[in-house]
Every structure is written in structure tokens, then in C-alpha cells.
Amino acid sequence: MNFTVYQAPQGLLPDLTRELGTVREITAVREPLVVAAGPPYPAAFAANIWLEPAFSPMASISDAAKTLKAVQRNWACAPVGHFRRAALVVAKLPKVSARPLVFGEPLPSSPLGAFTLWDEGTLLYSPKTSEPVPGGDYRFDEDREGPPNRAYLKLWEALTRLGTMPGAGDVCLDLGGSPGGWTWVLAGLGARVTCVDKAPLDPRVAAMPGVSSLAGSAFAVDVADHPGLSWLFWDVICYPSRLVTFLTRLVARPDCPRLVCTVKFQGETDFSAIAELAAIPGGRLMHLSHNKHELTFVRLRPGEDHGLDRFAAALGPSAPQDSPAP
Ligand SMILES: C[S@@+](CC[C@H](N)C(=O)[O-])C[C@H]1O[C@@H](n2cnc3c(N)ncnc32)[C@H](O)[C@@H]1O
């Protein structure tokens, strides 16, 4: 049986089912999980994708733990109910590190599986998942002193998941960058950053080496005015369609920089903008643990490998296939 399990971020199950429903046959939904026919689809609204799922009968709590331990050491539980029984299975498994990530350190590399008690007598589990952290929840050891706000966590997560980041010698534009959480991250990495925003940078960020700022609209920016531009960051509050127009023009340039852009939804999720962004060659849309009702669009340069392809072999084409029978 060829099927895949997708875990929705908190509160975004409707978005995930709508996104998947256009490319896959959904056969079961038990919050936060969606079971769909066919090979894995890189759904933007999935926090984690279970790449090799299987249903297995379980006679008892101990039996479930035994089944999992026979496969591998590390498991994260995503309960869909039966919370007490699920907790009892977790208690019988080896502990998985709960240590927050440290920005700049590589992601955990040990295989991490996911499981749930689908019902009283059925275990659903996958030894392989798309994300190397439990539930795709990227938590960091936070910096409560340096940055002017918590927006820096979004960029920490995006760069960590990309597996590559700017450094000394890079020229960055940070559009909609005030008060400067992202600029703080980029300058801290040693890059040269120009922030463009109608609002000012926090004076402490503005004083960091390599930081400059321009007061004005991101939509008026011409990248040709920024020679050597290697990365463009976008956290502007605007309708997604305006970002699509900006990016469509930008990606047509042979010198298009690497891109990290927040797609912000005001009210309804704009699925037509999502489709247009998903169609940009070389791009990837993802929901970060630190995104709210937002997605993040990322794109490196042609030929550059990024960390999001860690599981590319398992993330196959989007053609619908046979349905599973959960
Ligand atoms: C979510 S905040 C950005 C936070 C920032 N990334 C940080 O790390 O501190 C959104 C920013 O978009 C800016 N903004 C809204 N419309 C803009 C426009 N047309 N051009 C430039 N900035 C704009 C706002 O002034 C605001 O500072």
C-alpha cells in the first residue's frame, strides 16, 4: 500500500488538507495527522512528513514499544487521541533529546521516527520522517539580550533548515527589516546588510558593523542598485500577490540573489499565490515552526544544494496514486 502521513502545524490542519487535497487523495484525517495516497508530496503546510509509514496491530503498550524498539532507537509521538496510552508507550522507549537547537550547530543526524496510536489496537509508525527534530518543531536556545524582537528566530530556523547561510563577503538586502531582528542575525554572521523599511532600525542594530539602512518602500528597490547582492530577505507586511509580482521579476534575472521571503496571509490563506510561488523553479515553500499564519519561500542559486533536499529521494512527483486502507 502506497501512502504518506503528513503532520499539520498547530491550527493549520484545514490549510494542510486543502493543499494536499489538490494533489493527493486524502483517506483519513485525525488531527494533527493527514493520511494520503501516493508518495510523499512536499506540502508547504506540513510540519513533518512521515516518509515510510505502516500500520501494525498492537496487542498492548509493551507490544507497541517492542515493535518500535525493534526498528530503531529514536521515536517521537504525535498523538491523535489515546493520550494516556500513547504516553505509556513513550515511557517505555529510550529518551529522545529535548535539548533546544543552538544556532550555527548542525541539525541532529540520528534517524528519528514518528508514531501514533491510531486506535486502541493499531500502531501507525514511520522510521523515516522529513524533519530531523520531533514533530518538525524547531526550538532554539534563545538570545534574550541581543536582538530587538523575536523575529530573529524565524530567520535562525530558515537558515538552519536551508543548511547554508550568509557570511563574511556576502551582500544582503533586508526588505521590511525594521526593527532589525533579521539584520541583527545577518550582521552577526559577518555579512554586509542594507535594511529597507519605512520604519527605522533599532539603534543598537543600526550601529552593528556592516549595517546600513534606507528609508523607503521595498517595492521601489531595484536590485541593480546593489552590486554583488548575494542574498535578499523579505519580511514586508503585504498581500502575497504583491510578493509574487516582485519575485517573478526578480527570478527572471540571471544574477538573482538567494531568497528568503515571508509570505504573510491576511485573513484567508491565498492558495493562488501559493501555487504561483510553488511554480517558481528552484524555489521551496515551507511552514516554519516560528511562522504564524505565514509561509516562507526560499530559493538558492541554480545548482546550489540546500538542506531541504535531505529527503529529496523520498519526496517524489505529485501524481495521485492508489489509496491506502488505514
Ligand atoms: C514583521 S515586520 C519585520 C520584522 C523584521 N524582519 C525584524 O526582524 O525585525 C514587517 C515590516 O514591514 C515593514 N513594511 C511594511 N510595508 C513596507 C513597504 N512597502 N516597504 C518596506 N517595509 C515595509 C513594516 O514597517 C515593518 O517594519
Side-chain angles (χ1 to χ4, degrees), residues 149 151 176-182 196-199 216-219 235-237 264:
N149 58 8
S178 165
W182 288 24
V196 181
D197 201 304
K198 296 168 182 170
S217 173
F219 296 101
D235 202 20
V236 175
I237 297 171
K264 296 172 188 275

Side-chain angles (χ1 to χ4, degrees), residues 25-59:
E25 183 194 347
I26 294 174
T27 56
V29 178
R30 290 192 192 173
E31 189 159 14
L33 301 182
V34 179
V35 180
Y41 173 78
F45 281 109
N48 197 16
I49 303 176
W50 299 16
L51 303 171
E52 292 177 2
F55 287 96
S56 166
M58 53 175 271

Side-chain angles (χ1 to χ4, degrees), residues 148-155 174-185 195-201 214-221 233-238 242 262 264 294:
N149 58 8
R150 287 172 53 81
Y152 75 99
L153 288 166
K154 218 159 44 173
L155 190 54
D174 184 12
L175 307 186
S178 165
W182 288 24
T183 291
W184 174 85
V185 172
C195 170
V196 181
D197 201 304
K198 296 168 182 170
L201 276 175
L214 296 169
S217 173
F219 296 101
V221 166
F233 297 88
W234 177 283
D235 202 20
V236 175
I237 297 171
C238 68
R242 296 199 73 190
T262 311
K264 296 172 188 275
E294 301 168 334

Side-chain angles (χ1 to χ4, degrees), residues 55-206:
F55 287 96
S56 166
M58 53 175 271
S60 63
I61 304 290
S62 302
D63 185 40
K66 200 169 135 207
T67 302
L68 296 171
K69 279 197 275 191
V71 178
Q72 65 189 30
R73 183 191 185 280
N74 295 332
W75 293 94
C77 183
V80 295
H82 312 283
F83 297 101
R84 208 179 66 81
R85 281 169 69 77
L88 292 172
V89 177
V90 171
K92 287 189 177 294
L93 294 171
K95 292 263 169 300
V96 173
S97 168
R99 191 172 71 87
L101 300 166
V102 173
F103 179 62
E105 287 186 1
L107 285 166
S109 56
S110 346
L112 176 65
F115 77 95
T116 197
L117 304 194
W118 189 250
D119 57 39
E120 284 282 303
T122 314
L123 180 66
L124 169 60
Y125 68 97
S126 173
K128 273 199 187 168
T129 56
S130 65
E131 306 306 314
V133 295
D137 185 16
Y138 288 79
R139 282 181 306 103
F140 285 90
D141 190 5
E142 299 189 18
D143 185 327
R144 295 176 200 280
E145 313 272 298
N149 58 8
R150 287 172 53 81
Y152 75 99
L153 288 166
K154 218 159 44 173
L155 190 54
W156 272 9
E157 182 183 346
L159 295 175
T160 301
R161 291 173 69 171
L162 264 174
T164 183
M165 48 190 79
D170 275 305
V171 177
C172 306
L173 268 176
D174 184 12
L175 307 186
S178 165
W182 288 24
T183 291
W184 174 85
V185 172
L186 300 168
L189 290 169
R192 270 170 42 214
V193 197
T194 302
C195 170
V196 181
D197 201 304
K198 296 168 182 170
L201 276 175
D202 178 287
R204 284 180 309 145
V205 179

